[in-house]
Amino acid sequence: MLSQALIEDVLAAALETGGDFADVFVEDKTINTISMIGGSVESALTGRDFGVGIRVISGLFAVYAYTNDFRRDNLLHVARQAAQAIRGTKRDLTLDLRRTVLKSEHPILILPETVSKARKIEHMRRAHEVAKAYDPSISQTSITHKDEDQKVLIANSDGLFVEDRRTRNRLYIEAVATFGNEKSVGSSSPGAHQGFEFMENLNVEEHARLAAHTAKTMVRAEFAPSGKMPVIIDNEFGGVIFHEACGHGLESTSVAKKVSVFSDKVGELVASPLVTAIDDGTIPNAWGSSTIDDEGTPTQRNVLIENGILKGYLIDKLGAKRMGMQSTGSARRESYKFAPASRMNNTYIAAGSTAPEEIIANTEYALYAKYLGGGSVNTATGDFNFVVREGYIVKNGKIEKPVRGATLIGKGIDVLQKIDMVGSNLGFGQGMCGSISGSIPADVGQPMIRVAELTVGGRKGE
């Protein structure tokens, strides 16, 4: 990508005004996207990003600059421009970059560049045909296949010089059901840090049926009740509430500034004793995994909450300096255009011992949120609002009927404390997480949980 000698010169230029740390992030990423609507291919696009990010840190202050012009003179100019914002004491500098050869923890068998568009479209067409045939109410389908191959080189003034390659594949399936004047949407979006072997082994038909089932069921459902009530949230993408309303509050980006509800609470009971929460960037080939983070630190399994007790945070290098703690391998960014920041990888609530059927059977009355959709969150306070994409009423220990139009409204830390049952069916869902360092792939996960009381927004008063 760039020679070691050139990177040494760039780091030296970045530290000319007295900065105490500098790093370089070089990225070469190819992205392929194919879109199909109603069984017809609408677009097939290929893009490539190549650029270099340069960061200088002095004390607790950081400056970041980037460029896609990788000529030597320009890179030295950009490094010196960034250094101008630093006014320290210039010191003698000897850079000794040690190349580290990584063994990837996430093997890739079939690189995207070796797969034809026709082969990818074949899988998309299967998804369309199964979803469209599921029920006469399915009026439209939208299928998107996306893969990306990212090569990175990370070097810093502490002597790090390391390269990594991340390859990801994902299939987005969306089905629309129409019933009279009503329309409803169902979706399924599996993905992994894998090559095209992920698509070859994926049960495309099952995901297409899931999307169509949600759309068909919800379009005929009556409106959900509103008010405070017990809520059962199912596994997999149900974990998005913990991710958004709690996980972001555990990132050093907010904790170090003491704007998080979790600041200075390590060792305190912040959740139900039934709750253990983890962020793990090492899960083999998981959607949010990588061998190293975007500062070159190996990713790791970070226990955030154990039996309700806050154990730690997600920390990048700058956050580590500000908090006087160690990096947890949690620095991530969308591309070279963003400075790294502490972010989640694959975040989940650990499995409990109760069978999901037992949770349903032991519930007198509740809203059962089988699948969640999008929402909005205040990451500082944890206040959230999430749409229930597929919901049901549970009554006298049985799933009684589907309901639509429900939203879940609450505060993350309150929900953690009101979890009174945790299921055994841990599962993961894939999403894109947006925050200060851009949009990144991240798994969310949990088993089925029951929240003793949560505010439900609906259109039917009960």
Side-chain angles (χ1 to χ4, degrees):
M1 299 176 82
L2 295 181
S3 72
Q4 187 167 325
L6 175 55
I7 288 176
E8 286 177 352
D9 290 345
V10 170
L11 289 171
L15 295 175
E16 281 181 354
T17 58
D20 47 47
F21 176 86
D23 60 8
V24 173
F25 179 85
V26 187
E27 178 186 37
D28 184 357
K29 181 164 66 177
T30 301
I31 303 172
N32 297 298
T33 306
I34 304 174
S35 298
M36 173 185 285
I37 296 178
S40 300
V41 174
E42 292 286 310
S43 63
L45 305 173
T46 297
R48 185 179 179 189
D49 280 338
F50 187 96
V52 181
I54 301 167
R55 181 175 61 164
V56 190
I57 296 178
S58 178
L60 304 181
F61 178 66
V63 180
Y64 189 72
Y66 64 89
T67 178
N68 60 4
D69 180 350
F70 50 94
R71 291 174 299 174
R72 175 184 173 83
D73 289 351
N74 179 66
L75 290 173
L76 295 177
H77 173 71
V78 171
R80 290 183 174 119
Q81 286 290 105
Q84 286 305 307
I86 301 292
R87 292 297 173 193
T89 302
K90 191 173 180 180
R91 55 191 171 89
D92 294 334
L93 182 67
T94 301
L95 289 173
D96 181 17
L97 300 185
R98 302 293 179 93
R99 180 182 290 272
T100 300
V101 178
L102 290 175
K103 177 187 175 188
S104 175
E105 303 296 332
H106 313 284
I108 305 300
L109 303 182
I110 306 174
L111 289 170
E113 65 199 40
T114 67
V115 182
S116 68
K117 287 186 172 63
R119 195 169 161 194
K120 298 172 185 176
I121 291 170
E122 178 186 330
H123 292 279
M124 299 170 67
R125 201 171 300 288
R126 282 167 47 210
H128 158 73
E129 290 172 353
V130 170
K132 190 70 176 70
Y134 184 80
D135 187 81
S137 65
I138 302 300
S139 55
Q140 184 62 283
T141 66
S142 175
I143 318 293
T144 301
H145 174 268
K146 183 174 182 180
D147 59 57
E148 65 177 43
D149 188 20
Q150 182 196 40
K151 302 166 190 169
V152 301
L153 187 163
I154 303 165
N156 67 35
S157 54
D158 288 341
L160 177 77
F161 189 96
V162 64
E163 294 179 85
D164 192 20
R165 186 170 189 173
R166 298 93 176 249
T167 303
R168 292 184 170 88
N169 268 268
R170 195 176 188 196
L171 185 67
Y172 302 78
I173 304 171
E174 189 172 277
V176 179
T178 302
F179 182 66
N181 294 324
E182 300 289 342
K183 290 186 182 299
S184 182
V185 177
S187 65
S188 186
S189 307
H193 181 166
Q194 277 187 294
F196 196 70
E197 67 273 15
F198 170 73
M199 291 297 303
E200 300 282 36
N201 296 324
L202 183 68
N203 191 334
V204 172
E205 287 79 6
E206 179 184 353
H207 286 280
R209 282 191 287 270
L210 282 174
H213 174 79
T214 298
K216 173 204 166 188
T217 304
M218 290 297 100
V219 79
R220 292 178 172 86
E222 61 182 69
F223 287 113
S226 60
K228 292 185 177 181
M229 64 188 76
V231 174
I232 296 169
I233 305 172
D234 215 339
N235 66 349
E236 299 180 352
F237 200 71
V240 70
I241 290 184
F242 178 81
H243 172 103
E244 295 289 357
C246 302
H248 283 296
L250 294 167
E251 295 166 345
S252 61
T253 305
S254 57
V255 175
K257 297 175 182 173
K258 300 192 184 299
V259 295
S260 166
V261 294
F262 294 104
S263 296
D264 300 323
K265 284 195 166 76
V266 170
E268 295 185 20
L269 186 70
V270 297
S272 159
L274 296 174
V275 174
T276 292
I278 297 159
D279 182 79
D280 189 351
T282 71
I283 299 173
N285 293 109
W287 176 240
S289 290
S290 57
T291 303
I292 54 173
D293 73 359
D294 287 334
E295 290 176 332
T297 305
T299 55
Q300 61 188 54
R301 181 178 185 270
N302 297 301
V303 177
L304 304 171
I305 297 171
E306 187 173 35
N307 300 325
I309 305 292
L310 182 61
K311 291 294 184 179
Y313 304 111
L314 298 171
I315 306 171
D316 61 336
K317 283 186 181 295
L318 187 57
K321 294 189 71 164
R322 288 171 171 165
M323 297 168 66
M325 302 175 82
Q326 294 295 313
S327 165
T328 57
S330 304
R332 300 190 69 189
R333 61 179 115 195
E334 178 179 330
S335 73
Y336 70 92
K337 297 177 183 176
F338 295 84
S342 56
R343 303 287 294 274
M344 289 168 274
N345 293 288
N346 307 298
T347 312
Y348 60 95
I349 294 175
S353 57
T354 307
E357 299 79 11
E358 193 177 335
I359 295 177
I360 299 289
N362 283 280
T363 300
E364 184 177 346
Y365 182 86
L367 174 73
Y368 167 34
K370 184 167 181 58
Y371 294 115
L372 295 181
S376 60
V377 177
N378 181 327
T379 56
T381 64
D383 292 317
F384 66 81
N385 183 322
F386 278 95
V387 172
V388 178
R389 177 156 281 180
E390 184 176 332
Y392 299 85
I393 291 296
V394 171
K395 202 168 185 178
N396 299 324
K398 295 181 180 178
I399 297 175
E400 185 187 59
K401 59 184 177 183
V403 290
R404 62 185 165 120
T407 56
L408 304 182
I409 303 162
K411 189 181 184 75
I413 196 167
D414 292 341
V415 170
L416 285 180
Q417 293 165 351
K418 290 178 180 175
I419 294 174
D420 62 3
M421 297 189 85
V422 178
S424 56
N425 60 334
L426 173 63
F428 293 88
Q430 290 71 54
M432 295 301 296
C433 172
S435 188
I436 187 171
S437 60
S439 179
I440 58 172
D443 261 3
V444 299
Q446 68 173 41
M448 177 185 283
I449 60 171
R450 190 177 73 178
V451 182
E453 184 181 85
L454 193 56
T455 298
V456 175
R459 293 176 58 177
K460 180 181 176 183
E462 277 193 2

